[in-house]
Amino acid sequence: MRLDITEISRMSKIERLKTMETIWDSLIRETPEIESPEWHRDILADRKRNIERGIKDANFSKKNGPDPFFTGKLPPTRGLD
């Protein structure tokens, strides 16, 4: 199956989001063919260490307000149904 941009543009926003979610779900079930770059692992390791130490990511706070993972107040999830 191949969708072109015209067909995708005809879909509602909800249909496009559901399609993207289905694609992501299918991708995470597969063995990764592309390894994450080393710098990505380094950044994730740094963030994990900072979380364990209780240090917030200043860039996150500037752009998005308080980090919900530190406050324990995660926003409610919204379903696409």
Side-chain angles (χ1 to χ4, degrees), residues 40-58:
H40 191 238
R41 280 186 279 263
D42 294 343
I43 288 172
L44 292 175
D46 287 344
R47 288 183 179 170
K48 183 177 179 183
R49 278 191 296 276
N50 287 341
I51 288 170
E52 290 167 352
R53 294 177 187 153
I55 301 170
K56 290 185 181 184
D57 180 345

Side-chain angles (χ1 to χ4, degrees), residues 1-67:
M1 176 170 125
R2 179 164 167 78
L3 292 175
D4 66 24
I5 191 68
T6 304
E7 292 172 294
I8 293 169
S9 297
R10 289 187 200 133
M11 298 168 73
S12 71
K13 186 179 277 189
I14 295 296
E15 289 172 321
R16 286 181 277 164
L17 289 170
K18 285 181 178 181
T19 300
M20 286 184 351
E21 186 174 89
T22 301
I23 291 168
W24 277 115
D25 286 345
S26 72
L27 288 171
I28 63 173
R29 288 182 174 81
E30 295 177 10
T31 304
E33 296 174 11
I34 301 172
E35 286 289 319
S36 292
E38 191 63 36
W39 63 265
H40 191 238
R41 280 186 279 263
D42 294 343
I43 288 172
L44 292 175
D46 287 344
R47 288 183 179 170
K48 183 177 179 183
R49 278 191 296 276
N50 287 341
I51 288 170
E52 290 167 352
R53 294 177 187 153
I55 301 170
K56 290 185 181 184
D57 180 345
N59 292 325
F60 182 93
S61 295
K62 287 178 188 172
K63 289 185 272 184
N64 304 304
D67 188 335

